[in-house]
Every structure is written in structure tokens, then in C-alpha cells.
Amino acid sequence: QGHANAQYSLGYSYSIGKGVEQNYEIAVEWYRRAADQDDADAQFSLGQCYYDGHGVQQNYNLAVEWYRRAADQGDANAQNSLGECYSHGHGVEQNY
């Protein structure tokens, strides 16, 4: 446990290499800590990592799971990404 926003921010710093050497694996660790505390930004970012295969093996199913958790909290970016997954059939049955 801990301060979810700080954990998300640290994950973001690692994902873009801001103040630290870029490292997607470490970014994923910090995103997951914050996401497990229902931080929507971290859930969305973790979904992006799974979608793109950054720091984890690419997995559209897990990307959809994390996008959905963030989208359910009203995160507009996650809602858009979830819609894109449905549009392309990534991790879900294609549905326009």
C-alpha cells in the first residue's frame, strides 16, 4: 500500500525517463501498485503497457481488463482505448 498518486507518478517517470533512466519494467511495477489501489490513471497506463508490450508481454486481454477498470471510474482516455479495442477486436470480440 502507499500513496497511489505518488506511485503512479513514479511509474510515469520511469516510463518516459524523466529524472531516471527509462525502464518499462519498473514503470509497470509502480503502475500496478497504484492500480491495485484503484488509481484510474495507473489502471489506464497499465492497460497501455499491456497493449503495447512495454515492460510486460503484450496481452490484449489484460489491456482490456485494465482499460475497463479505469473506464468504469470515468477515465475518458481508458474509455476511448476500450472503444478502439472493440473496433479492432483486440482482447474482445470485434464490435463496431
Side-chain angles (χ1 to χ4, degrees):
Q1 293 298 327
H3 194 277
N5 189 51
Q7 292 169 339
Y8 163 73
S9 294
L10 192 51
Y12 181 74
S13 293
Y14 274 103
S15 74
I16 65 168
K18 182 177 181 182
V20 294
E21 186 174 330
Q22 186 179 39
N23 186 316
Y24 289 119
E25 290 83 7
I26 294 174
V28 166
E29 290 176 24
W30 285 109
Y31 285 154
R32 188 178 311 280
R33 290 180 188 192
D36 286 341
Q37 296 176 73
D38 294 325
D39 183 286
D41 290 328
Q43 291 169 340
F44 168 68
S45 295
L46 194 53
Q48 285 187 302
C49 289
Y50 278 108
Y51 191 89
D52 295 329
H54 288 161
V56 291
Q57 185 174 355
Q58 186 178 44
N59 185 321
Y60 291 137
N61 292 330
L62 287 175
V64 166
E65 179 182 323
W66 287 109
Y67 286 156
R68 190 179 315 278
R69 287 178 66 176
D72 287 347
Q73 294 188 65
D75 186 286
N77 290 321
Q79 292 167 348
N80 181 67
S81 293
L82 189 56
E84 290 293 321
C85 288
Y86 276 99
S87 177
H88 299 289
H90 291 164
V92 290
E93 185 177 335
Q94 189 174 31
N95 186 341
Y96 300 105

